[in-house]
Amino acid sequence: MPYSHLAFLRAIGPITHKVMSMQNLCAACAEAGFSGTHLYVTSGNLLFNGGASEVYLTERLNAIIAAFGLHLDNQAFIRTPDEMTHIIEANPFPTIAEAQPNRLIAMFFNEELDGIADKIALKHDGEERFASVVRVLYGDYSRGIGTSKVAMGFIEKRLQLRGTARNWNTVLKMQMLARG
């Protein structure tokens, strides 16, 4: 079944599941008018159909999350399948995507980055490489994410923006599910 929207929820995991199970999130989304809600794994990857604007859907999904008692740390980042196609095609690190897709990340933001991430904010002395395209920061962690000093929190602090990251395997799987 094709979907009109993909949502990547920030900071969803075992701790938040105690407050908001993924099944309860799907039920709340259906009650709010999102149709065909589907989860991919239990870490905040959501597919659904909705006829409203991205801004409205983001606000609505953030309100649903807040109704469970969660807060701004757990916000939503929504894309359409066409936007995801552009994100995949614009990947500046195709060699890593092919060889080590689990070490390439796409970090989603609701604000446009305008190249700030790779020109100013992420200057560091590590081997990681970064590039931004519109509202996505690509990160090449070919030496390993777990040992990197450039963690997601570091990036958010430098950019003074909230985002959520997914590895390339998840990006591709979500797009495949969205296209049906």
Side-chain angles (χ1 to χ4, degrees), residues 29-160:
C29 286
E31 191 175 304
F34 293 47
S35 65
T37 305
H38 175 76
L39 292 166
Y40 173 63
V41 297
T42 59
S43 58
N45 302 302
L46 190 67
L47 299 119
F48 63 91
N49 292 305
S53 73
E54 179 186 320
V55 171
Y56 174 81
L57 293 170
T58 300
E59 288 173 357
R60 191 70 191 116
L61 192 48
N62 285 340
I64 291 168
I65 293 166
F68 282 98
L70 300 176
H71 45 77
L72 188 58
D73 283 347
N74 308 98
Q75 64 188 18
F77 301 86
I78 296 177
R79 301 296 189 268
T80 66
D82 288 344
E83 287 174 305
M84 290 299 292
T85 296
H86 176 71
I87 289 165
I88 292 165
E89 290 172 353
N91 171 22
F93 306 118
T95 304
I96 298 303
E98 182 68 29
Q100 297 176 300
N102 60 321
R103 293 190 174 189
L104 173 65
I105 61 108
M107 191 167 185
F108 300 95
F109 293 90
N110 287 330
E111 302 82 9
E112 289 196 21
L113 300 176
D114 295 327
I116 188 173
D118 49 353
K119 293 179 183 171
I120 300 168
L122 293 177
K123 290 185 179 180
H124 65 287
D125 60 0
E127 295 185 22
E128 301 86 353
R129 296 181 300 158
F130 299 93
S132 60
V133 177
V134 190
R135 299 182 299 153
V136 176
L137 175 72
Y138 300 87
D140 168 6
Y141 287 89
S142 54
R143 300 277 184 194
I145 294 173
T147 59
S148 174
K149 293 180 182 176
V150 189
M152 302 310 116
F154 172 87
I155 293 169
E156 289 180 327
K157 186 175 180 178
R158 284 286 179 98
L159 296 177
Q160 297 182 343

Side-chain angles (χ1 to χ4, degrees), residues 7-17 20-23 25 38-46 65 73-75 77 164-167 170-171 174:
F8 302 94
L9 308 182
R10 184 181 183 285
I12 300 297
I15 293 172
T16 57
H17 292 166
M20 176 185 74
S21 74
M22 294 295 97
Q23 292 75 21
L25 172 63
H38 175 76
L39 292 166
Y40 173 63
V41 297
T42 59
S43 58
N45 302 302
L46 190 67
I65 293 166
D73 283 347
N74 308 98
Q75 64 188 18
F77 301 86
T164 192
R166 298 299 186 273
N167 76 38
T170 300
V171 168
M174 288 286 286

